[in-house]
Amino acid sequence: MDRARVESILRELKAGILSVREAMARLRSLPFEDLGYANVDTHRALRRGHPEAVYCDGKTDVQVVGILERLSAHHKTVLATRVRPGTAKAVADRLGRSRVHEFPEARMLVVGAMPSPRKGRVAILTAGTSDLPVAEEAAVTAEAMGHRVDRIYDVGVAGVHRLLDKQKRLDRARVLVVVAGMEGALPSVVSGLVDKPVIAVPTSVGYGASFDGLAALLGMMNACSPGVAVVNIDNGFGAGYLAAMLDR
Amino acid sequence: MDRARVESILRELKAGILSVREAMARLRSLPFEDLGYANVDTHRALRRGHPEAVYCDGKTDVQVVGILERLSAHHKTVLATRVRPGTAKAVADRLGRSRVHEFPEARMLVVGAMPSPRKGRVAILTAGTSDLPVAEEAAVTAEAMGHRVDRIYDVGVAGVHRLLDKQKRLDRARVLVVVAGMEGALPSVVSGLVDKPVIAVPTSVGYGASFDGLAALLGMMNACSPGVAVVNIDNGFGAGYLAAMLDR
Amino acid sequence: MDRARVESILRELKAGILSVREAMARLRSLPFEDLGYANVDTHRALRRGHPEAVYCDGKTDVQVVGILERLSAHHKTVLATRVRPGTAKAVADRLGRSRVHEFPEARMLVVGAMPSPRKGRVAILTAGTSDLPVAEEAAVTAEAMGHRVDRIYDVGVAGVHRLLDKQKRLDRARVLVVVAGMEGALPSVVSGLVDKPVIAVPTSVGYGASFDGLAALLGMMNACSPGVAVVNIDNGFGAGYLAAMLDR
Amino acid sequence: MDRARVESILRELKAGILSVREAMARLRSLPFEDLGYANVDTHRALRRGHPEAVYCDGKTDVQVVGILERLSAHHKTVLATRVRPGTAKAVADRLGRSRVHEFPEARMLVVGAMPSPRKGRVAILTAGTSDLPVAEEAAVTAEAMGHRVDRIYDVGVAGVHRLLDKQKRLDRARVLVVVAGMEGALPSVVSGLVDKPVIAVPTSVGYGASFDGLAALLGMMNACSPGVAVVNIDNGFGAGYLAAMLDR
Amino acid sequence: MDRARVESILRELKAGILSVREAMARLRSLPFEDLGYANVDTHRALRRGHPEAVYCDGKTDVQVVGILERLSAHHKTVLATRVRPGTAKAVADRLGRSRVHEFPEARMLVVGAMPSPRKGRVAILTAGTSDLPVAEEAAVTAEAMGHRVDRIYDVGVAGVHRLLDKQKRLDRARVLVVVAGMEGALPSVVSGLVDKPVIAVPTSVGYGASFDGLAALLGMMNACSPGVAVVNIDNGFGAGYLAAMLDR
Amino acid sequence: MDRARVESILRELKAGILSVREAMARLRSLPFEDLGYANVDTHRALRRGHPEAVYCDGKTDVQVVGILERLSAHHKTVLATRVRPGTAKAVADRLGRSRVHEFPEARMLVVGAMPSPRKGRVAILTAGTSDLPVAEEAAVTAEAMGHRVDRIYDVGVAGVHRLLDKQKRLDRARVLVVVAGMEGALPSVVSGLVDKPVIAVPTSVGYGASFDGLAALLGMMNACSPGVAVVNIDNGFGAGYLAAMLDR
Amino acid sequence: MDRARVESILRELKAGILSVREAMARLRSLPFEDLGYANVDTHRALRRGHPEAVYCDGKTDVQVVGILERLSAHHKTVLATRVRPGTAKAVADRLGRSRVHEFPEARMLVVGAMPSPRKGRVAILTAGTSDLPVAEEAAVTAEAMGHRVDRIYDVGVAGVHRLLDKQKRLDRARVLVVVAGMEGALPSVVSGLVDKPVIAVPTSVGYGASFDGLAALLGMMNACSPGVAVVNIDNGFGAGYLAAMLDR
Amino acid sequence: MDRARVESILRELKAGILSVREAMARLRSLPFEDLGYANVDTHRALRRGHPEAVYCDGKTDVQVVGILERLSAHHKTVLATRVRPGTAKAVADRLGRSRVHEFPEARMLVVGAMPSPRKGRVAILTAGTSDLPVAEEAAVTAEAMGHRVDRIYDVGVAGVHRLLDKQKRLDRARVLVVVAGMEGALPSVVSGLVDKPVIAVPTSVGYGASFDGLAALLGMMNACSPGVAVVNIDNGFGAGYLAAMLDR
């Protein structure tokens, strides 16, 4: 349910076509369409002002298709994350290839209109090449919410001059997403170079004592520079979404 | 070093009084005054646009006084966090009682001018009474950076109606800091009620399987609602600082 | 061994057909029929008043079939959990398709009579769609023990209004099973809305810092609301069984 | 706020003295009396049907006294847990020695009437002598809620015959609280001997690899007997409260 | 290298055929035959009085065959543990089917003579059916070292009467190996019933918070009964070997 | 209750003075004398053939004195471990200075007769000087059970020649207790030098990543040499007790 | 970019062909050739004096080939680690079989010239046969950097005489790399035998409580002998690289 | 025992005054002077070429004095680490104030001659002021072994320009010790700026999710730059000792 529908209800209310109670009832009843296996929360757009996203890992193709179909009937733009290749095909088959945009590197689908970037400027940095899928998930999310994204990849702290070379691009951003595995040190360093908020994303990239991202997570939690906050390991979507919220 | 001094150098440069090199040199040499035990980074205000803060835990009173004296010579406002009562007295004795503002509940000192709140609106929530010291550290930090703070304390998820009652105050905020120990569930719930960024602060409040804040930290990392990012356990200062950055 | 057989022994004792010692001997010798690989404890029904269940993970099909065959000779209803699809077929082939009820979503088999629900009212809630298999394991277990189950799925705390909408159904339940992964916050919130016992089931649903259910487990252990107790990660059977015990 | 006050409002509503809105407003405004540092939730009695409790660890004496004073104005019985000896004295001085019952072994205070036990039968077992304070917290909580308690202490699994000797007392209980540190094995064994629900309480008793109760917690989570659920480490209050809920 | 060869060297020394130095040299040079990838320590039999064993996990078939060939040239009995089915075939093909005894349930091979049990009495208990492979590894190891083994399987603590029924067989043993996953409580209980040493073997059987055997390991480390010692998770071989050492 | 009393009952039974039932009753009722706070298990001597021990940490002086008084009425020798200095004095005052032997380095008391060592030979090794208190707890325990102890202290693996120098003393022992903190490597090395069972005791000695003995515990669990079993961190008593059991 | 190219720029500078600024510009612009997905840092050779290496795990074959092609255009020797067999073929197909040296046991490729060993002497030890792949990664790395390597494999602490036998080879080394899984005790022992730096490499070899190398890592961190430093679990490359730096 | 004494024995051997056996015997017997509680290993200087150090934490003053007295009779320079203030006085009283050098910031004593720095150049960096005690332990250790030390303190990654300013001093060092708590990112960054080995020392400085140095330890283990190796948390002595070994 996009804002348009909500507003039309409210305008009918103001025009006297609906009573307050009827307006309330319509608003309330709308969102909770029962799919049996998922209480699709179309209200959230109303409350949060942002599109809905579906986390596909652990859901069957049939469930994913069903949820996306219902959501895309109400939303201009719906995101799907952690999409298996087979699922992408099943969705496209059902919803029409023209409405479904695939981003394989980000393991994402965008159903509906992909907005042209016109807002703000989000810089997304990675420490290494292997952090790319997570960074792309963040980038596509922010772009699907209408934001310009500047990708600055492979600028890890072991070669800090590579990063310093990008100072101008860092300065142009209004919010920065920093994606790093292993020791997770990049957000600290980046935060010391800018006066903008930094969203740190630990990744499960690494081996041995990286313990599937725990080392990077702890490192980022302990970032000695203020202005840094952390999202879950590999949570590119959450980082991109939050960046879009902050990029005003 | 406040911005005024930097600007005067730059204006002298433009007026031809200084060469570019001389300007560069002055800018560079200024900040790194050597205290022997601490490379006080007065540059940071320049790069970050915000006041400096001193983390007092693990530093002797003599070190704290020395660092604050030096920093307050260059900054209008300097924060000190995790201040022991004795340290507060030592600082006030040296720097003058009129310049030192004490916030015992937040365990903080503000040296210099305490700005009157004129910017934005930061809501700070706690789950319980025991989370207060961390919440106050966040609140005083944001206030010292010139922001209005709305304290909404003791609205934990076990009585969710207490929280829903505050919906209007939540809506008025531009950024929310949510402080919680034990299971750390409050940020998830709050984030679902607003379309503003939520900064989650786990606290070491709790016992048994809270493991000094680890349970709350993991809970917040896994917040199922996007728009949430997490800072370190008990890190009220970092949360308040980031909130001030976001509250534009 | 169902209660009927025990009672008939006791009645023969009272009628003088058996001496006390003979009665004792019959009672004692009955249960421990030796399958070689498993000491099938048919006594438990006697002591516990509830049917036996077989945890199939890590057992071969042959072992599962053997144990179920023996148990179902003594019990009206026998449960099998964590059943692989192939195992289900092997059991049905041996014990007869009409006596074996399959619940694929719950990964369970019920061998023998499936009672019609006539007792109490157990509400089973999930935070998300992915928690379904665990919730269904709880639901089928409680139903197999003769209890009515009310499924309230996908009401996670990020959209707390979805949950509040269900207040009436919550109030009707005598005991609530709350299944959640990620941050595991749902039991706390639910417990604050009812004055009934809440059985919390952490699931391994989630990614990154969920650490296979550890975050949810710790979150639930720290639930700030009394009236909550926790079972093992993904242990739907244990939760359903306990709910049936409490639903009087 | 006890039920009486709520009922009087509802009766005034039915009698036409109050409109629905006025009734709603009164109900809503009543509970949240603002102490500044704690949103005392007097509503909870309404929702939960049970007295309020105050966790005193990490609160100052002044805060504890203030909260207890306010709560005891509305409740017949208020519990305080983890009470320091000094706090007990401060509370008694303010609220009157006759209204304050001290239970030093349980580290608890009961403010108001201590009901005479008339309901049900809760058995509380400990594995060892050192688990006593946690067990007593559970026992006093259940007793303060009007339940009979049977204390069966020091029956750890290393001498299983000591436990078997108590079979009759186990059988008489309607719900069992089992408190154990170290390896936390007692709940498994007890649960196999009864057909009643078992609430397991891990304690931080032990040394070395007990890791402050983690070993006992994990042991109990993995109890191989269904019918067992676990509360937080050392959480005697939660166990006693839940036992009272189950003991019907 | 068996003792016979060592003795013949020593006898030649005594007879004057070898000088002390020559004897020393022969003894020293013998054992370290270089396979390139493994310093096969044939000395160990000399020092330890027991046969050699090869842990096959992580070794290629070619490596396993090479090591077993070399060892079996010197030892009457060589054990191989964690043997993949394919490896078993490869070994039998090379060393001759008659010399290679397969124990698939224990995932073991015994190369050479399998002694007829004539020494002592080792009882091996398991808590459940799923602990069998580890228990069999212990049993075959002890049998291959010439000891009588009494298998008492599936006597977990949730049905403690099943265990008490076996008191006589427990009493007959000189040393007990107790194998258990999940909460690992069985060794504590068993140790309280006998006055013999108990070797506890945690297994990775379980799910959820068993964390691959960590819960059982911690439980056993904290066994509140003295006379218990613990070997590594799933280490049936180590337990069987140690039991054989103790069974005198 | 020592064996003498049990035997006298049995002899009266044989002589016809007692019926079997009366004998049973006496045996059963004897041991569980109720101290209120501790079910002193005087039966254990009967079942286990060894003296009783009291773990004093977390017990009040009054409780310790009470338990020791009761136990020493039935046992020739009673051990108390983790004794605070004040407790030692309280015990001696009550039970008589002549009957109470203090071992301050081991933090132990032995109440009753200290047997002269006449059995076997237990070697106790430590890696460093700081492991002494744990080693002494093991040594005094074994000596109180009548065994000869050979102390071989400060032979850690960083100077492996110090250990090799002791080969003869190692060879003379029938069982070895190896006490080590830090990396806990000593048991592996020792076990490779002897063909006797090795009981490994991790200690909480160390700093940083020793994590209170966890590093040593994990190291010992992974000892690559068979013939090693591990007891709890700092559990000198358990090691000494087990060593006495094995030293036949 | 090898040193030759840097020197030619500097010589042109000295000869007056380039201004300082032009020289600076050339130096700066050279290294960051943009591959889109990887900021290949050809500067590093300049700063670090050593060849570049590519960690292939988590990179596609196309990415690996692209990076290696670019790097090998500037470097005489480029290393690739954690190479899948298929990747090796893809690289050889593109860069020419003669320039690509495969080391399957080390899972490595060396692209370009393999230097003949002429520098120093690095000893590489393993505790067991299963540690070989990690040890070979260290060995090939050091050899590719021009160092002589002495492989001393399978000398674990359970048979310490095997190690003592190698004292002479240990003494000849200038730096020692010690690779071990399980309890990770070998570096401590080795360090006590030599007066050279020891680089400890924990491996994920082991089972049960080895927890994927954590036990070995903690063991090595706690090595009670100074002169030991630790690299990441299974990080043979890092150990070989550091050994080459130290072997002067 | 310093080298001089060893050489004199060897010279007597060469001169025919001692037989080889006698020489051997003297060498062997010398070092193990028995203090009862500590096998002081005076051999180590012989094998390792470096002075002995005593870790004082967990040792009584009497033990420390005894060990230092014995060691300083054989060594020119003996180090004591983690010295309590009282211990320092006790040592000076016994060994003579002129021979005992106190370094309170490093919590160290040096007994004997403090060499004038004449060898190499070790740079010691810290991330913050609170890391000073650990850094000083490293510095004093290296100085006591005759090395020049360059202290570069408080150059954490949140202000990376502070570090870049020190490039020349970094380049002058032959080995670098980098001490950091919190996220432990400094070693990675430093290692990228130099081509010298970096010894990383995690410290327990930090709060919340630093978990007593674990975050820093994991961060450093995962340093994405080769040429870094890690010592134990807070182990300044080990780092300084290793640095001295490498600084040739």
Side-chain angles (χ1 to χ4, degrees), chain C residues 55 57 81-82 137 231-238, chain D residues 221-223, chain E residues 182 204-213 215:
Chain C
Y55 179 75
D57 202 37
T81 63
R82 307 289 165 98
E137 192 180 284
V231 299
N232 201 355
I233 297 167
D234 291 336
N235 187 7
F237 165 71
Chain D
M221 294 306 307
N222 285 287
Chain E
M182 302 174 92
S204 54
V205 167
Y207 60 95
S210 78
F211 294 120
D212 297 324

Side-chain angles (χ1 to χ4, degrees), chain C residues 46-117:
Chain C
L46 188 61
R47 281 200 320 277
R48 308 280 307 245
H50 293 296
E52 187 71 46
V54 181
Y55 179 75
C56 300
D57 202 37
K59 298 199 177 72
T60 67
D61 284 6
V62 170
Q63 289 177 328
V64 170
V65 169
I67 296 172
L68 287 177
E69 196 169 19
R70 190 65 53 113
L71 281 171
S72 64
H74 296 297
H75 291 281
K76 269 210 293 247
T77 310
V78 181
L79 311 182
T81 63
R82 307 289 165 98
V83 181
R84 287 175 304 276
T87 308
K89 197 185 162 319
V91 171
D93 286 355
R94 177 67 167 243
L95 302 184
R97 211 151 298 269
S98 65
R99 293 181 57 214
V100 178
H101 309 265
E102 255 191 87
F103 299 86
E105 205 161 22
R107 293 162 301 175
M108 286 180 75
L109 295 181
V110 178
V111 180
M114 187 72 187
S116 51

Side-chain angles (χ1 to χ4, degrees), chain G residues 77-110:
Chain G
T77 309
V78 180
L79 311 182
T81 63
R82 307 288 164 99
V83 181
R84 287 175 303 276
T87 308
K89 197 186 163 319
V91 171
D93 284 356
R94 178 66 167 243
L95 301 184
R97 214 150 296 268
S98 66
R99 293 182 54 214
V100 178
H101 308 265
E102 255 190 87
F103 299 85
E105 204 161 23
R107 294 162 300 175
M108 286 180 73
L109 295 180
V110 177

